[in-house]
Amino acid sequence: MEGLKDADVGSLLATAREEHRRAFGGAEPEIAVSAPGRVNLIGEHTDYNQGFVLPMALHMRTVMVGSPREDGIISVVTTAEEADEPKRVQFLVPAKGGALKPGEPQWANYVKGVIQHYRDDGDPVAKALACQKAEHTFAMMPCGIMDQFISVMGNEGHALLIDCRSLQTHLVPLSDPDLVVLITNSNVRHTLTGSEYPTRRRQCEEAAKVLGKASLREADMSSLEASKALMSEEVYRRARHVIGEIERTTKAAEALQSKNYKRFGQLMVESHNSLRNDYEVSCAELDELVAAALEVPGVYGSRMTGGGFGGCTVTLLESSATEKVVRHIKEKYSGTATFYCTKASDGTKVHPLP
């Protein structure tokens, strides 16, 4: 089981510095930065419906080192094994009025997009939105704003409630030493015919249109029930999940704020059941992992997290129950899971170099 290892970042930085020296003729890097992974505690498929999400940043991080140069050339090297070839790309910073364009290799496109859209702006919201724009226009990923916001605004010992309509954020304390967040990777990813994400998004838009709303954020359960006959059963259930999930997320933030972990856990389970039954984005493996976790005393709640059809679950539990929970899940799960025991971390950081 992987846990909290502050030394891991130091090791990653040492590896990155060595790669920099190898790639650039022995030159030492002059700057080092890192950005966290994240897990969404609750609020799934609500971001593109202008709802709320509640992620936290993780201690597991990606690092980058670099140095300035005067010739207008950007040279980027990746050590990621899954990145497509080549592992090094070079391109010119465009002249004033010019623009970079996405191309090959694809792994470099996000970097290009950030260079194209980012401006020296101390406003964290502007930073996050520039990075989202890079995702949309260079990586061709029509993502919401959760990843960028938690990366920029994550805070040690806190989750972050994000209003995806107003773009306002609220830090929610999550620093109880007796509390642990367990991320369990199912290590499965189901390939489905068609594209499920656009289909769900389209169904949500259809429901909002029937309800006469700009988005499902503006709808409530009573108006949905009153209009049930005007939409298909499937569209109705998709909307029921989103409207319920938006309400669950705000309630969960309130429960966390007041340290009512039992209530928070109940809301996590309700979220999973809704994602399984109404939004239909869970799978047998995720259901197995959630069910196994909930069988162990000391577990407050568990749910699938992310887009679905595989991937991870997130579980809130008493720290004293961690080993027992991991052991029980291993015994009950039909596959081979990977476990990450973590707590809320900071967002992006600049690291000093000796």
Side-chain angles (χ1 to χ4, degrees), residues 42-114:
I42 194 168
E44 222 63 74
H45 292 279
T46 53
D47 54 347
Y48 53 85
N49 288 288
Q50 297 190 4
F52 291 89
V53 291
L54 186 66
M56 74 176 204
L58 304 177
H59 283 78
M60 291 164 281
R61 308 178 75 85
T62 296
V63 304
M64 178 180 285
V65 298
S67 301
R69 53 194 294 171
E70 304 297 330
D71 57 6
I73 296 174
I74 303 289
S75 183
V76 187
V77 179
T78 182
T79 61
E81 294 181 0
E82 65 274 15
D84 51 323
E85 297 291 343
K87 302 290 188 179
R88 179 172 179 170
V89 294
Q90 288 194 163
F91 49 91
L92 280 168
V93 175
K96 188 174 182 179
L100 289 170
K101 296 185 183 300
E104 298 292 337
Q106 293 186 10
W107 65 262
N109 284 334
Y110 179 67
V111 178
K112 290 180 181 178
V114 173

Side-chain angles (χ1 to χ4, degrees), residues 114-124 126-127 130:
V114 173
I115 293 168
Q116 177 65 35
H117 297 302
Y118 183 77
R119 298 295 177 265
D120 187 12
D121 191 330
D123 174 24
K127 286 182 181 180

Side-chain angles (χ1 to χ4, degrees), residues 116-181:
Q116 177 65 35
H117 297 302
Y118 183 77
R119 298 295 177 265
D120 187 12
D121 191 330
D123 174 24
V125 172
K127 286 182 181 180
L129 291 176
C131 292
Q132 183 197 29
K133 191 172 183 180
E135 289 266 21
H136 289 184
T137 60
F138 278 72
M140 305 306 173
M141 179 62 65
C143 60
I145 48 92
M146 176 172 62
D147 288 356
Q148 292 79 14
F149 269 54
I150 191 60
S151 184
V152 172
M153 302 174 212
N155 191 281
E156 184 87 22
H158 293 79
L160 186 70
L161 181 67
I162 306 171
D163 184 334
C164 298
R165 181 174 63 185
S166 70
L167 304 184
Q168 293 180 329
T169 61
H170 175 68
L171 287 167
V172 184
L174 183 54
S175 57
D176 191 324
D178 296 324
L179 204 65
V180 158
V181 173

Side-chain angles (χ1 to χ4, degrees), residues 38-56 144-147 159-164 197 241-253 264 267-272 274-275 279 281 303-308 314:
R38 62 88 180 155
V39 65
N40 192 24
L41 298 174
I42 194 168
E44 222 63 74
H45 292 279
T46 53
D47 54 347
Y48 53 85
N49 288 288
Q50 297 190 4
F52 291 89
V53 291
L54 186 66
M56 74 176 204
I145 48 92
M146 176 172 62
D147 288 356
L160 186 70
L161 181 67
I162 306 171
D163 184 334
C164 298
Y197 179 89
H241 163 72
V242 171
I243 295 169
E245 187 79 348
I246 291 171
E247 183 178 354
R248 278 188 290 272
T249 305
T250 56
K251 287 181 177 178
F264 189 93
L267 291 163
M268 292 178 78
V269 175
E270 289 176 15
S271 171
H272 181 79
S274 179
L275 287 159
Y279 223 63
V281 291
R303 59 182 288 275
M304 61 155 279
T305 185
V314 57

Side-chain angles (χ1 to χ4, degrees), residues 196-208:
E196 296 295 325
Y197 179 89
T199 298
R200 297 300 187 283
R201 189 162 186 159
R202 186 174 63 251
Q203 289 168 333
C204 292
E205 291 168 354
E206 181 181 336

